[in-house]
């Protein structure tokens, strides 16, 4: 399992699961701040007993400045493969007040599946609002959770 949260701010592209979503604000961070792929990376690293995303991609390292988070997932998939593990399926939750993710759901599923090297039907994506509560409800942040099954 993996979890991540990033603040929202102006002047950044909103990238979720490797897909750029039209929105006035984007996620702030050292890399492209793709909160969904960060949660997924942590889920994969956890499943193979390999620590967490900061172990491999510290946000103090200039080489990850504005980096595509796809690379982080690919690295985690590679670590799993070296242990003889393949991805069975992943389940993803994005906590997002606006915009509605439903028009982008299929695109994000296909993007995540491509990065993982699995069929799109192995990737499930759910979006939840926070009903206006807390920093996510106030559109100050977005968060994501990921669960991955390896075999
Ligand atoms: Mg992160």
């Amino acid at each position: 399992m993996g979890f991540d949260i990033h603040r929202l701010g102006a002047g950044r592209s909103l990238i979720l699961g490797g897909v750029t979503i039209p929105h006035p604000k984007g996620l702030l961070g050292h890399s492209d701040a793709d909160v969904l792929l960060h949660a997924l990376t942590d889920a994969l690293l956890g499943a193979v007993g390999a620590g967490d995303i900061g172990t491999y991609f510290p946000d103090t390292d200039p080489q990850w400045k504005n980096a595509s988070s796809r690379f982080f997932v690919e690295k985690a998939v590679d670590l799993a493969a070296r242990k003889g593990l393949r991805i069975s399926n992943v389940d993803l939750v994005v906590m997002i007040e606006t915009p509605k993710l439903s028009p982008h759901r299929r695109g994000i599923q296909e993007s995540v599946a491509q990065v993982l090297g699995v069929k799109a039907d192995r990737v499930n994506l759910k979006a939840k609002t926070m009903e206006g509560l807390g920093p996510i409800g106030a559109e100050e942040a977005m968060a994501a959770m990921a669960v991955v099954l390896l075999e």
Side-chain angles (χ1 to χ4, degrees):
M1 63 176 292
F3 170 80
D4 197 24
I5 184 166
H6 279 258
R7 289 177 186 270
L8 279 160
R12 293 270 294 187
S13 295
L14 175 60
I15 301 170
L16 290 172
V19 175
T20 302
I21 313 262
H23 196 57
K25 292 192 277 189
L27 295 169
L28 305 178
H30 185 63
S31 64
D32 66 3
D34 188 330
V35 70
L36 183 54
L37 292 191
H38 291 186
L40 177 57
T41 301
D42 261 357
L44 287 160
L45 291 175
V48 299
D52 65 22
I53 194 167
T55 309
Y56 294 92
F57 313 107
D59 62 9
T60 50
D61 189 334
Q63 76 171 303
W64 310 122
K65 178 90 176 144
N66 295 319
S68 169
S69 298
R70 289 168 179 264
F71 181 82
F72 305 158
V73 177
E74 287 167 1
K75 169 76 175 177
V77 170
D78 185 52
L79 283 168
R82 287 188 209 188
K83 293 196 173 191
L85 294 164
R86 291 185 314 152
I87 292 149
S88 174
N89 68 291
V90 304
D91 195 13
L92 306 166
V93 181
V94 184
M95 283 156 271
I96 177 172
E97 204 67 18
T98 64
K100 285 278 180 214
L101 265 198
S102 46
H104 309 286
R105 174 172 292 157
R106 188 70 194 167
I108 292 171
Q109 281 177 309
E110 288 175 355
S111 169
V112 171
Q114 186 198 19
V115 180
L116 291 172
V118 300
K119 291 183 176 172
D121 66 0
R122 295 302 178 113
V123 177
N124 191 66
L125 176 67
K126 295 175 283 212
K128 309 296 287 185
T129 75
M130 295 297 285
E131 303 277 340
L133 296 167
I136 296 171
E139 301 186 43
E140 295 167 1
M142 290 181 187
M145 296 190 288
V147 171
V148 57
L149 183 64
L150 301 181
E151 56 187 356

